[in-house]
Amino acid sequence: MKGASHLKTADYWNTLPDGVIECGLCPHHCRLHEGQTGRCRVRTVSGGELKAMGYGLLSSAHIDPVEKKPLYHFHPGSPIFSLGGWGCNFGCIFCQNWTISQDFRESATIHTPEQMVRAMRDDGCSLIAYTYNEPLVGFEFVRDCSRLVRADGGKNVLVTNGFVEERPAGELLPLIDALNVDIKSMDEAFYHKYCKGALSPVLRFCKQSAKAGCHLEVTNLIIPGLNDTDEGFEGLAAWIRDELGPLTPLHLSAYHPDYRLEMPPTPRETLERAWEICSRALSYVYMGNLPVKGGQDTHCPGCGSVLIERRGYQTTVGGIRAGSCARCGRRADVIT
Ligand code: SF4
């Protein structure tokens, strides 16, 4: 179906005494009059109800290696059917996907959850990712797809900024097998100034995801001059170690100029310094978006041998036998 107006009644909203509709999906709690649209661009008031405008409206659907999400400890080397929609509840000035996160195309092709599960299977995938834009602003579609995927024996992956309220997260997380969550900085002021968001709900969501038993990996995009201090890296790694556990994979990612930020890309030395610092607290720290030899390999924390070797998106799981390190026998912290 193309070009149709596709509005579905949203979940998680209420009508205030003055008739204004308040959305309760994310911590922005947008208050909207008839015809107004929330900060995410995909939830609007129509006919006295909050509607999900983006239900089934895709910006893209691709098969990616699961490493591209990035997830390094979840079915390494597997293809993952990856869906993107429109909109985001952040406004990061460095967004690398701003053409879809800061836009909404009603003319995009509409898909049903049933079609998505069929397409995933037809393409030979058993994993599906909700990714590219911020999937949680399309909560209803992600939840409905996730239910069908789970019933069909597949696995659901969320790639998210983690800026969502506890109740909707509590409904969705039991359906989610793995997540990659961005922690962009440990500084609230950074989130307010550069992302038009807030840090504390993101940290709460990470803890809620881990408590729900989901496999969780964290990404930190390093931007020179904005979030690249030693103290910042120490704080990030210490928080992950203390709240999520020292075995939580951390992906340190190099920034490239995009959207409204034009400063030069992250130098290799900064990425390596961050890796050194974070590796003191965490067992699995990776370097991405810049080719650093060995920076994407998984090493056994017991004996140091290479468990998984990655060259670009070529993945070789050579050091794991029957779920354990082939050299020292330590159980590998990898879901296969
Ligand atoms: S999900 Fe969208 S409409 Fe709802 S509170 Fe967040 S930004 Fe506003």
Side-chain angles (χ1 to χ4, degrees):
M1 204 181 349
K2 205 160 176 125
S5 173
H6 191 69
L7 297 181
K8 187 180 172 71
T9 302
D11 294 331
Y12 298 103
W13 57 275
N14 64 297
T15 309
L16 300 174
D18 58 1
V20 171
I21 302 264
E22 180 178 15
C23 176
L25 179 59
C26 92
H28 285 318
H29 281 258
C30 294
R31 293 181 171 199
L32 306 169
H33 293 275
E34 183 72 23
Q36 287 187 322
T37 299
R39 291 168 67 162
C40 58
R41 297 164 192 261
V42 292
R43 297 170 91 75
T44 193
V45 176
S46 174
E49 291 189 325
L50 189 70
K51 306 278 189 181
M53 297 159 71
Y55 192 94
L57 280 177
L58 298 187
S59 58
S60 48
H62 298 289
I63 302 171
D64 286 333
V66 70
E67 283 73 19
K68 204 170 176 179
K69 299 302 100 189
L71 285 178
Y72 280 12
H73 291 240
F74 186 75
H75 299 279
S78 299
I80 184 163
F81 190 70
S82 302
L83 304 181
W86 302 93
C88 183
N89 46 5
F90 279 0
C92 303
I93 60 169
F94 46 83
C95 182
Q96 322 250 308
N97 282 334
W98 63 274
T99 54
I100 57 170
S101 72
Q102 304 302 313
D103 198 3
F104 172 68
R105 301 258 174 89
E106 204 180 8
S107 59
T109 305
I110 295 171
H111 297 83
T112 64
E114 288 78 7
Q115 286 171 327
M116 291 301 89
V117 178
R118 245 191 333 270
M120 173 188 92
R121 289 300 185 188
D122 288 349
D123 284 334
C125 297
S126 59
L127 310 177
I128 191 166
Y130 311 99
T131 177
Y132 304 132
N133 72 316
E134 172 47 53
L136 290 172
V137 298
F139 174 84
E140 294 80 8
F141 186 70
V142 170
R143 178 204 53 206
D144 294 351
C145 279
S146 298
R147 279 186 186 144
L148 290 184
V149 168
R150 184 57 75 76
D152 193 57
K155 295 195 170 154
N156 293 297
V157 167
L158 205 54
V159 181
T160 177
N161 65 18
F163 193 68
V164 65
E165 282 293 4
E166 263 179 298
R167 272 204 319 130
E171 183 185 350
L172 186 60
L173 285 171
L175 299 168
I176 300 297
D177 296 283
L179 304 95
N180 188 296
V181 182
D182 275 335
I183 301 180
K184 298 167 193 286
S185 165
M186 289 302 286
D187 179 9
E188 273 289 359
F190 177 98
Y191 268 83
H192 286 273
K193 187 169 180 188
Y194 301 114
C195 306
K196 298 195 183 88
L199 168 64
S200 54
V202 175
L203 299 182
R204 178 188 68 202
F205 177 73
C206 287
K207 290 200 277 186
Q208 192 180 358
S209 304
K211 202 168 166 200
C214 304
H215 172 72
L216 176 61
E217 305 194 14
V218 172
T219 293
N220 176 242
L221 182 75
I222 301 174
I223 306 168
L226 299 192
N227 65 352
D228 63 345
T229 64
D230 289 3
E231 300 72 37
F233 297 133
E234 282 161 8
L236 172 67
W239 187 87
I240 294 172
R241 178 195 61 208
D242 296 344
E243 301 293 344
L244 307 177
L247 303 177
T248 307
L250 171 63
H251 301 265
L252 299 167
S253 188
Y255 139 94
H256 299 284
D258 216 329
Y259 195 35
R260 295 189 176 148
L261 205 56
E262 288 176 355
M263 62 179 63
T266 311
R268 175 188 305 266
E269 304 74 54
T270 304
L271 204 59
E272 289 175 341
R273 174 168 54 86
W275 184 88
E276 286 284 339
I277 293 169
C278 295
S279 295
R280 291 177 208 145
L282 303 171
S283 297
Y284 303 109
V285 184
Y286 301 102
M287 291 178 272
N289 265 2
L290 251 187
V292 180
K293 197 168 185 300
Q296 298 176 311
D297 294 343
T298 301
H299 293 265
C300 173
C303 69
S305 68
V306 177
L307 300 178
I308 306 172
E309 193 175 286
R310 299 181 183 87
R311 295 290 169 265
Y313 290 114
Q314 286 293 330
T315 300
T316 311
V317 187
I320 299 178
R321 298 273 182 280
S324 296
C325 173
R327 187 157 141 214
C328 73
R330 183 191 177 279
R331 191 180 62 81
D333 303 304
V334 177
I335 297 168
T336 53

